[in-house]
Amino acid sequence: MSIFYTTYESPLGCLTLYATASALVGLTFPTQSVTFSDPICKVERTSSPILTHTIQWLDQYFAGQVPTVTIPLAPQGTAFQQRVWSHLQHIPYGATLTYGELSQLVFHSPRPKGAQAIGSAVGANPISLIIPCHRILGKGRSLTGYTGGLSIKRALLSIENISFVDK
């Protein structure tokens, strides 16, 4: 399997975008990395229609617009992670959920340690920003961990005019 990548200079640092011929499989901030389950995959720097559409999406987002570009996504992860990431994709621009609320959506009932399981899946998201894990807040709308770093999470929430409690 071939994976194509390029970089994107964002206001928050250099992002790396990864795609197959048919879908985006990774988007990382400078503090993140992504691994692919296929040990024989070939990763090469080039352009592709998926990467071009992703750059258009990012241009709209960082201009403060709700992105209108549609990008096929194919994040690699467990069935549970896929379920969590699917829920993340339904959080609208400018809206948030708490880890507890997301846990309720995923498990359909209160579950001991559910928010922690959700946190692990959210933290494993390989397509940051487009699968909007930055829209997940802690209890009481508090700012909590983000794989890209809290300064990046603050900036992303600010772009979307989302209020939060910064402890």
Side-chain angles (χ1 to χ4, degrees), residues 123-140:
N125 173 13
I127 306 177
S128 293
L129 185 55
I130 294 176
I131 297 178
C133 52
H134 63 281
R135 296 180 187 149
I136 304 299
L137 299 173
K139 190 174 185 178

Side-chain angles (χ1 to χ4, degrees), residues 51-131:
L51 294 174
T52 299
H53 286 112
T54 304
I55 288 168
Q56 292 168 344
W57 191 101
L58 292 167
D59 285 344
Q60 291 176 342
Y61 183 86
F62 286 114
Q65 303 166 2
V66 177
T68 57
V69 177
T70 302
I71 306 162
L73 304 177
Q76 295 180 2
T78 66
F80 175 71
Q81 289 170 333
Q82 295 284 344
R83 217 166 77 216
V84 172
W85 301 336
S86 176
H87 282 284
L88 291 176
Q89 292 176 64
H90 291 92
I91 304 170
Y93 181 99
T96 62
L97 290 175
T98 65
Y99 286 97
E101 291 166 339
L102 184 54
S103 176
Q104 182 71 28
L105 288 171
V106 170
F107 295 118
H108 305 292
S109 65
R111 189 168 200 169
K113 308 257 185 217
Q116 289 90 340
I118 295 297
S120 292
V122 168
N125 173 13
I127 306 177
S128 293
L129 185 55
I130 294 176
I131 297 178

Side-chain angles (χ1 to χ4, degrees), residues 5-90:
Y5 81 94
T6 193
T7 55
Y8 176 86
E9 285 299 327
S10 83
L12 303 176
C14 184
L15 307 179
T16 305
L17 321 175
Y18 301 91
T20 63
S22 59
L24 188 69
V25 295
L27 187 154
T28 60
F29 285 98
T31 56
Q32 298 172 286
S33 63
V34 66
T35 56
F36 302 102
S37 61
D38 184 348
I40 59 168
C41 73
K42 178 181 172 188
V43 180
E44 60 184 283
R45 185 178 184 123
T46 189
S47 185
S48 75
I50 300 295
L51 294 174
T52 299
H53 286 112
T54 304
I55 288 168
Q56 292 168 344
W57 191 101
L58 292 167
D59 285 344
Q60 291 176 342
Y61 183 86
F62 286 114
Q65 303 166 2
V66 177
T68 57
V69 177
T70 302
I71 306 162
L73 304 177
Q76 295 180 2
T78 66
F80 175 71
Q81 289 170 333
Q82 295 284 344
R83 217 166 77 216
V84 172
W85 301 336
S86 176
H87 282 284
L88 291 176
Q89 292 176 64
H90 291 92

